[in-house]
Amino acid sequence: MPESEETTVRRAQAGDRDAFRCLFERYQNQVYGYVRRMVSEENLAADLAQDAFVRAYEALPRLKAPGAFRGWLFQIAANRVRDHWKRPYRDALSLDAPAGETGGELAVPDPGPGPERLAVREQMRTSVTEALAKLAPERREVVVLHHLNGLDVRTIAAMLGVPEGTVKSRLGRARADLRQFLAEWMEE
């Protein structure tokens, strides 16, 4: 029977490198997928995700709630993304990165075979990517964390240090913005 995540975290906190390697392997795709959706450049996303793990490793002894490791790790990754956003240039969003356990790309119905349907699917993916990139960063962040990484509102609120109502509000406004941005495409 595999050990609980909390037990693995406690072993890693005690200096067990194999335990941290297990945590890394469990979450590397999810963290990279989140960061990749928040910045456009593959290499930059890989660097930011790797830096998040390095920072997590260094700060692990100070983690007071081993059962909250996943949210804490995503908070570190979100901070790395925000630090990047503080630069004058902000990256566009891409949805082509893997998302680990939550399923990979944004759920776009498979139109089946055929060049026309494949072109429509690609245009849909591009339109959604462009629409997400138009969102204010704090709205994009909650959409990616909630809808693409499967984190619940409570975890996101704790991660971002905001009330749950703020997360819900940002999600609602982001959805409204996305509907508006995608209205033209949806009419077609």
Side-chain angles (χ1 to χ4, degrees):
M1 180 172 152
E3 71 182 3
S4 72
E5 179 174 285
E6 188 171 341
T7 301
T8 305
V9 172
R10 289 187 191 283
R11 285 190 319 125
Q13 285 180 309
D16 185 336
R17 289 180 186 226
D18 288 334
F20 189 79
R21 185 177 313 114
C22 289
L23 294 168
F24 172 78
E25 289 171 357
R26 183 176 300 165
Y27 291 113
Q28 68 179 341
N29 289 339
Q30 291 179 44
V31 170
Y32 173 77
Y34 161 71
V35 175
R36 180 68 172 95
R37 288 181 176 97
M38 301 304 290
V39 300
S40 66
E41 188 182 323
E42 245 178 81
N43 291 334
L44 174 62
D47 289 347
L48 291 174
Q50 181 178 1
D51 189 48
F53 277 102
V54 168
R55 288 176 186 239
Y57 181 77
E58 292 170 347
L60 193 58
R62 296 188 302 274
L63 176 63
K64 290 182 175 44
F69 178 79
R70 181 176 188 237
W72 177 75
L73 177 61
F74 271 92
Q75 182 175 5
I76 292 171
N79 288 340
R80 298 305 306 131
V81 169
R82 281 192 216 108
D83 289 346
H84 170 71
W85 281 348
K86 289 178 184 174
R87 292 195 215 152
Y89 169 78
R90 292 190 180 154
D91 291 314
L93 178 68
S94 172
L95 297 174
D96 295 328
E101 296 171 12
T102 60
E105 300 175 357
L106 182 68
V108 174
D110 187 357
E116 284 183 24
R117 289 187 180 259
L118 292 174
V120 167
R121 183 174 186 212
E122 187 56 37
Q123 183 179 1
M124 182 187 304
R125 184 182 322 283
T126 299
S127 296
V128 170
T129 298
E130 290 170 359
L132 283 168
K134 290 178 186 177
L135 291 175
E138 65 276 357
R139 292 181 187 174
R140 182 184 341 159
E141 182 173 49
V142 296
V143 166
V144 170
L145 289 170
H146 184 68
H147 291 290
L148 301 177
N149 283 89
L151 295 177
D152 61 48
V153 169
R154 176 176 286 152
T155 301
I156 295 169
M159 235 177 92
L160 301 178
V162 299
E164 289 180 36
T166 301
V167 173
K168 291 177 184 177
S169 173
R170 288 177 184 174
L171 280 170
R173 289 180 180 145
R175 289 178 188 131
D177 289 347
L178 288 171
R179 274 193 292 279
Q180 180 182 354
F181 297 150
L182 293 170
E184 181 181 311
W185 194 91
M186 292 170 86
E187 288 173 6
E188 293 175 12

